[in-house]
Amino acid sequence: MKQVLNDKAIALIIKRLAYQIVEDHPNCDDIVFIGVQPRGVHLSDRLMVELNALYGKQVAYGMLDITFYRDDFRKEIMVPNQTHLDMSLENKEVILIDDVLYTGRTTRAALDALLDFGRPAKVTLCTLIDRKFNREIPIQPDYTGKTIDTIFSQKVVVHWKENDGVDEVRLLG
């Protein structure tokens, strides 16, 4: 079990991602930030703190549960999370936030779920970790914290202080 990122590195990456987003989008009025439940919300909550400070105001933020949009939800019992989106996505730019981009299937499910809340003008993706060479669906992140080259048998585990008592990213296998 190899540590890839520690708490200090994760904090720096979140700050850098916030600066990159603000640099690309100096005006946040037509942007909605959405954390993908469950694990992407820990990243998005922290990113919102940075973005609110950089923009000097509260940005539009929601959480999206994709349980029933997943292509594997019938294979095992999954407990759905809550979706909190109290705004229309119609003609807004959506920035999806998730912790790990692996096969692309979670992002595809999130894109399907988004359409129930309107038709966004544009969707971009922000991830803490990109497992670049394991994609099954042609999806790429626009904002990446760290790219990790892994083989299929390896697993990337992101621990968040809120759930696990520590902030770190580990590579198993």
Side-chain angles (χ1 to χ4, degrees), residues 57-124:
K57 64 181 180 178
Q58 293 286 113
V59 298
Y61 174 51
M63 293 177 247
L64 184 66
D65 176 45
I66 61 162
T67 302
F68 298 115
Y69 295 89
R70 295 176 55 99
D71 57 10
D72 63 349
F73 88 94
R74 288 188 175 101
K75 291 182 182 177
E76 61 185 83
I77 296 174
M78 294 184 184
V79 177
N81 295 287
Q82 293 185 344
T83 292
H84 298 287
L85 280 175
D86 58 357
M87 72 283 291
S88 170
L89 302 182
E90 200 68 33
N91 295 319
K92 300 282 187 181
E93 178 168 352
V94 171
I95 298 181
L96 275 177
I97 303 163
D98 204 0
D99 61 346
V100 178
L101 175 59
Y102 178 35
T103 62
R105 292 184 179 281
T106 298
T107 304
R108 189 225 25 101
L111 292 169
D112 288 346
L114 282 177
L115 293 178
D116 285 345
F117 296 92
R119 183 178 179 195
K122 182 178 181 181
V123 179
T124 57

